[in-house]
Amino acid sequence: MTGAEIFVRALDAQGVEYVFGHPGGAVIKIYDEIARVNPRFKHILVRHEQGGTHMAEGYAKATGKVGTVLVTSGPGATNTVTGIADAYMDSIPIVVFTGQVPTSLIGNDAFQETDIIGVTRSITKHSFQVRRVEDLTRTIREAYHIAKTGRPGPVVVDLPKDILFAETPFTYPDDVELRGYSTELKLKMEQLTQAADMLKASEKPLLYVGGGTLNGNATAELAAFARKLNVPVTTTLHGLSAFPENDPLSVGMLGMHGTWYANQAVQHCDLIMSVGARFDDRVTGKLDSWAPHAKVIHIDIDPSCISKNVPVDCPILGDVKDVLEAMLPMVERKDTTEWLAQIDVWREECPLDFERDGKLRAQAVIEALREKSEGNAVVLSDVGQHQMWTAQYFSYVRPRSHITSGGLGTMGFCLPAAIGAAFGLRGMGEVDVPVISVSGDGGFVMNAQELSVAAAHRLPLKIIVINNRFLGMVRQWQELFHGNRYSHTDLSDTNPDFVKLAEANHCVGIAASTPAELKDAIDKAWAINDRPVLIECQVEKEEMVFPMVPAGASTGDMITERFSNDHDV
């Protein structure tokens, strides 16, 4: 059997559902075998390889499974770099198969040759280059194992062209044995006991929850733990949907654009228990003044994350699900009446709100989507102001219902990731759950070519473009910190007609510029279930995202409203 056929049959043996790919010369033999063998997995022809990697990310985040990408050599491979980096920063399990020139030509500057292993070495969890066809199935098996286990991440498998034409018998290994790589973590009872004692002694505890809780499928264990202890819960951007935001113990998102009351809770608590979070700089702000009164417990599956940014009093190395299950019998309900009442005072002092003057504002769009879906949706956002409003105003209650690019902050992520999430839900039979893609006008055009992919597969995406004719978040910083010099952020003269753009890609396009038009547009979009619908929301041009912790400032120094901007940074 040829290496190309072995590749196709190995993906079937691995249980792959979707391959997001684009053909080219170095992988043409694989595409020939896909046509000949007719595998169980479905190949999705993307319009750009970066879009393919984001589709794989969206699929992985929505399902908890490993996403798969297949591209050719040279530019096909380098076009995946942003998506690979994004997956690395956000701990998303994807496997990216890249074509390569024949082994005899590697290093000769052959046509479409790129050292993709070298290019991606610092942004992958692991990478392989297959040099013998006999190693192909073992390598594929190991790649999926590494991507999924421990702290998830991207794996690159480079496939020289001659390996795909070489022949050997097909066998697929049942097990994986990797020397020096073990994901079995034995919990240390003395650490669990220390953490339980610290929780018992604290008067103002706070659970700080990150994406590791979702990666570890530990949302039920988290809810049971928080409710038994009766302690408040704040989440990171990636932790949104790990704990239901309609629960009285939820204080919403913390950090740069988190709630006032979540950040006040951080600054006044006497104990923080980090659950699958990594103390990102967008959470902590100025490190030496963050949570100044708190002792810190840190649960993480990755030992390199513990005490990396914030010194920890009690480290717990382990899977979040295993740790919370083990600790649940060790903790007792706490009387946090005064602590929760104080948080409610902060909640009333500075609630999340915006001007409700009859004009169409981005926050109102997010609230309208929440009302229409009743929270039963998977919501994806791009990067910028709309991302923060989507985080603040949707109120997530369903696990894995919020997906965004947090670590790398990749504009153009949202639409292809929404396509991947929609395929994931289709694969799980959850076709009635709406997938809502929320982008700004700046980021949307960066991967708008993937609209035609969504239309070709009749995905009923609800695609929202928050059009304020600006690169809004940069404009906000220019107003607040750079003397109102809006350098190259006004998009008024270069934006496309988004409705016509949707229609040109076989989607339905609707424009809304008032709250009444928005309601009609959303009703129409929800009634269409055989193709994507794009709603262009023409919102107020110079809206600002508040609250806000300026970069490098203390979490206690939040800005809650516009101020006079007569200084630069």
Side-chain angles (χ1 to χ4, degrees):
M1 189 181 294
T2 66
E5 183 176 353
I6 289 171
F7 175 86
V8 173
R9 295 194 182 282
L11 295 195
D12 267 350
Q14 185 62 39
V16 171
E17 295 177 310
Y18 295 99
V19 174
F20 303 98
H22 198 287
V27 290
I28 194 168
K29 181 64 173 170
I30 290 177
Y31 278 85
D32 187 51
E33 291 298 335
I34 290 174
R36 190 182 69 81
V37 171
N38 191 25
R40 290 190 297 274
F41 67 77
K42 189 171 181 59
H43 179 272
I44 307 301
L45 175 61
V46 305
R47 304 311 300 266
H48 190 283
E49 292 86 349
Q50 182 186 348
T53 54
H54 296 323
M55 288 181 204
E57 289 185 278
Y59 169 85
K61 292 278 280 186
T63 64
K65 302 174 184 176
V66 179
T68 303
V69 181
L70 172 63
V71 299
T72 192
S73 62
T78 56
N79 282 344
T80 66
V81 169
T82 298
I84 293 170
D86 194 271
Y88 183 75
M89 292 289 284
D90 288 347
S91 304
I92 301 174
I94 64 172
V95 175
V96 180
F97 295 99
T98 57
Q100 184 55 277
V101 301
T103 51
S104 60
L105 294 180
I106 291 176
N108 285 10
D109 296 335
F111 176 66
Q112 291 193 331
E113 181 190 3
T114 296
D115 175 15
I116 195 64
I117 299 295
V119 169
T120 60
R121 192 177 304 280
S122 64
I123 53 171
T124 51
K125 185 175 178 184
H126 197 67
S127 53
F128 299 90
Q129 185 176 73
V130 181
R131 306 289 290 206
R132 301 188 322 139
V133 68
E134 293 82 2
D135 297 333
L136 184 54
T137 55
R138 176 184 55 78
T139 303
I140 292 172
R141 184 76 174 84
E142 291 175 356
Y144 280 90
H145 177 73
I146 292 170
K148 174 70 176 171
T149 53
R151 180 178 178 180
V155 175
V156 168
V157 180
D158 202 28
L159 303 168
K161 189 172 183 177
D162 55 316
I163 302 300
L164 302 176
F165 284 84
E167 296 188 5
T168 194
F170 174 80
T171 58
Y172 200 69
D174 294 327
D175 300 314
V176 175
E177 290 186 15
L178 287 168
R179 186 177 177 185
Y181 180 80
S182 174
T183 57
E184 292 184 8
L185 297 174
K186 187 176 181 180
L187 299 180
K188 294 183 177 180
M189 187 52 66
E190 61 271 24
Q191 293 177 339
L192 304 186
T193 301
Q194 181 188 356
D197 290 343
M198 291 170 68
L199 282 164
K200 185 177 181 179
S202 70
E203 297 180 353
K204 300 176 182 178
L206 179 66
L207 298 185
Y208 152 49
V209 174
T213 307
L214 289 161
N215 285 341
N217 295 315
T219 55
E221 289 74 13
L222 171 67
F225 189 79
R227 288 166 184 161
K228 183 177 182 182
L229 271 168
N230 195 34
V231 298
V233 179
T234 183
T235 59
T236 66
L237 182 64
H238 277 307
L240 287 171
S241 81
F243 188 76
E245 291 194 291
N246 58 357
D247 191 292
L249 293 173
S250 172
V251 294
M253 186 174 73
L254 79 168
M256 179 174 280
H257 289 290
T259 63
W260 165 265
Y261 35 98
N263 282 322
Q264 287 299 312
V266 168
Q267 293 305 95
H268 292 84
C269 70
D270 63 3
L271 175 71
I272 283 184
M273 184 170 182
S274 170
V275 185
R278 61 185 177 91
F279 300 89
D280 178 82
D281 62 295
R282 291 294 168 114
V283 164
T284 62
K286 189 177 180 182
L287 271 173
D288 57 11
S289 59
W290 189 73
H293 312 294
K295 293 184 180 301
V296 178
I297 302 168
H298 188 179
I299 305 169
D300 208 293
I301 201 167
D302 182 356
S304 71
C305 279
I306 293 178
S307 291
K308 183 176 183 178
N309 297 324
V310 171
V312 173
D313 299 287
C314 177
I316 302 177
L317 183 62
D319 179 83
V320 168
K321 188 183 187 81
D322 294 342
V323 174
L324 294 181
E325 281 181 345
M327 286 195 66
L328 187 63
M330 302 169 67
V331 298
E332 299 176 352
R333 183 176 179 84
K334 296 183 63 65
D335 182 1
T336 51
T337 305
E338 291 187 14
W339 176 223
L340 294 174
Q342 175 59 64
I343 292 175
D344 283 341
V345 170
W346 290 322
R347 198 190 304 264
E348 294 174 7
E349 188 174 275
C350 187
L352 276 179
D353 205 357
F354 58 94
E355 192 171 356
R356 300 173 191 269
D357 55 359
K359 298 178 180 177
L360 185 59
R361 298 181 185 276
Q363 303 95 316
V365 175
I366 306 305
E367 283 191 343
L369 294 169
R370 174 68 172 81
E371 181 178 354
K372 183 67 178 180
S373 67
E374 299 180 337
N376 184 33
V378 174
V379 181
L380 297 96
S381 64
D382 213 69
V383 173
Q385 285 183 309
H386 74 278
Q387 180 187 33
M388 295 299 109
W389 287 316
T390 304
Q392 292 174 336
Y393 286 94
F394 191 82
S395 188
Y396 298 89
V397 296
R398 172 193 165 100
R400 296 188 180 276
S401 61
H402 175 259
I403 298 172
T404 194
S405 170
L408 195 64
T410 305
M411 293 175 68
F413 167 87
C414 185
L415 175 63
I419 293 171
F423 277 118
L425 293 183
R426 179 180 282 181
M428 294 192 297
E430 298 188 23
V431 294
D432 294 333
V433 179
V435 176
I436 305 173
S437 164
V438 184
S439 297
D441 50 318
F444 182 76
V445 297
M446 291 187 178
N447 269 316
Q449 77 282 347
E450 307 300 341
L451 276 173
S452 62
V453 177
H457 294 276
R458 309 191 79 78
L459 298 176
L461 298 180
K462 317 307 178 190
I463 302 167
I464 312 300
V465 178
I466 305 292
N467 183 8
N468 63 358
R469 288 86 72 200
F470 258 123
L471 296 173
M473 188 61 87
V474 185
R475 190 210 64 78
Q476 176 167 333
W477 282 54
Q478 289 172 333
E479 177 182 328
L480 291 175
F481 310 119
H482 297 277
N484 287 325
R485 291 183 292 279
Y486 300 139
S487 178
H488 298 278
T489 48
D490 193 332
L491 305 177
S492 301
D493 296 332
T494 56
N495 267 345
D497 182 323
F498 288 99
V499 171
K500 290 182 178 177
L501 181 63
E503 292 171 346
N505 284 279
H506 317 293
C507 305
V508 176
I510 308 171
S513 59
T514 67
E517 289 179 356
L518 174 67
K519 183 178 185 311
D520 288 345
I522 289 177
D523 287 343
K524 289 178 184 174
W526 254 254
I528 298 172
N529 290 305
D530 62 350
R531 68 204 123 145
V533 179
L534 183 151
I535 303 175
E536 178 197 0
C537 301
Q538 299 163 354
V539 300
E540 285 299 292
K541 193 170 184 179
E542 298 186 359
E543 189 70 284
M544 305 276 271
V545 182
F546 292 116
M548 176 184 184
V549 179
S554 167
T555 298
D557 296 330
M558 294 194 83
I559 302 171
T560 58
E561 58 186 4
R562 265 192 165 101
F563 60 84
S564 174
N565 49 4
D566 56 356
H567 65 282
D568 292 350
V569 295

